[in-house]
């Protein structure tokens, strides 16, 4: 944590504070609703998979915070202070759940590489910001990400989320994305 904080600058402080706000409920609710609305047009069952993945992440986060009851780090004054417990990181858990759900839903489509790249960058950036901000230990963000991975991975195995958006024919580079309707 101290090594990450040693490179503290005002632009990085603003970035970390912005990511903290974006990762909170008021920041993620519009993103979630927008993604759910777009998915519903393509495939309603994919929307249910996404919403269940994110709702489960919220529940696991709340329960695990109460179970572990770990105080937040106190090495320096946090950039974006938080009032609840430290372990696990809800920002990392939700980011991972969102990214993995979108990656799995896009798996059989031409959007897979883009979702994979954006998802990895999003999760790693959110994890970095929580440690950089001084509100989480590195183990908190790793645990949050792992819980998100396990939860959405298990949900995918159960509901076959990666098969909800299927190709019906080979996709030409300039054609719209063909999907099966329920």
């Amino acid at each position: 944590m101290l090594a990450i904080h040693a490179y503290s600058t005002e632009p990085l402080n603003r970035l970390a504070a912005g990511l903290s706000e974006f990762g909170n409920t008021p920041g993620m609710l519009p993103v979630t609703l927008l993604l759910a609305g777009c998915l519903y047009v393509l495939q309603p069952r994919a929307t249910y998979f996404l919403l269940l993945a994110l709702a489960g992440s919220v529940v696991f986060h709340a329960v695990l915070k109460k179970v572990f009851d770990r105080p937040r780090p106190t090495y320096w004054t946090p950039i974006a202070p938080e009032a609840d417990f430290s372990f696990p990181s809800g920002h990392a858990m939700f980011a991972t759940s969102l990214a993995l759900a979108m990656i799995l839903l896009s798996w059989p489509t031409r959007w897979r590489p883009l979702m994979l790249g954006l998802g990895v960058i999003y999760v790693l950036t959110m994890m970095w910001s929580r440690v950089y901000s001084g509100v989480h230990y590195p183990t908190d963000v790793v645990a949050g990400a792992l819980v998100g991975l396990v939860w959405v991975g298990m949900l995918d195995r159960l509901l076959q989320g990666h098969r909800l958006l299927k190709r019906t024919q080979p996709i030409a580079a300039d054609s719209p994305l063909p999907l099966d309707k329920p």
Side-chain angles (χ1 to χ4, degrees), residues 42 105-106 108-112 165-169 171-180:
L42 296 174
L105 288 171
S106 69
T109 72
R110 67 180 176 164
W111 300 100
R112 175 183 11 169
L165 300 180
K166 294 181 183 179
R167 289 185 184 169
T168 55
Q169 60 191 8
I171 299 172
D174 61 343
S175 68
L177 183 66
L179 302 172
D180 288 336

Side-chain angles (χ1 to χ4, degrees), residues 13-93:
N13 291 350
R14 285 193 301 273
L15 175 63
L19 286 167
S20 178
E21 287 301 313
F22 178 71
N24 282 332
T25 303
M28 288 310 302
L29 189 58
V31 172
T32 301
L33 293 175
L34 178 64
L35 287 172
C38 291
L39 277 174
Y40 192 80
V41 170
L42 296 174
Q43 174 58 266
R45 290 184 300 162
T47 306
Y48 305 139
F49 176 78
L50 175 68
L51 293 176
L52 188 55
L54 298 179
S57 177
V58 170
V59 170
F60 279 116
H61 168 251
V63 169
L64 292 172
K65 288 267 192 192
K66 299 276 188 222
V67 168
F68 287 99
D69 194 22
R70 182 180 187 177
R72 295 204 177 257
T74 57
Y75 295 118
W76 61 85
T77 302
I79 293 168
E82 297 282 348
D84 61 352
F85 299 112
S86 179
F87 187 89
S89 167
H91 281 69
M93 190 182 304

Side-chain angles (χ1 to χ4, degrees), residues 78-159:
I79 293 168
E82 297 282 348
D84 61 352
F85 299 112
S86 179
F87 187 89
S89 167
H91 281 69
M93 190 182 304
F94 194 86
T96 303
S97 297
L98 174 62
L100 184 58
M102 293 305 295
I103 290 166
L104 290 169
L105 288 171
S106 69
W107 199 257
T109 72
R110 67 180 176 164
W111 300 100
R112 175 183 11 169
L114 178 65
M115 289 297 163
L116 191 57
L118 290 175
V120 168
I121 290 168
Y122 171 55
V123 170
L124 291 176
T125 304
M126 189 59 75
M127 291 170 69
W128 164 84
S129 76
R130 305 311 287 161
V131 174
Y132 177 88
S133 295
V135 294
H136 283 292
Y137 296 100
T139 52
D140 299 342
V141 296
V142 170
L146 288 175
V147 170
L149 281 172
V150 169
W151 160 242
V152 178
M154 287 178 20
L155 188 64
D156 180 62
R157 296 290 275 172
L158 180 67
L159 301 179

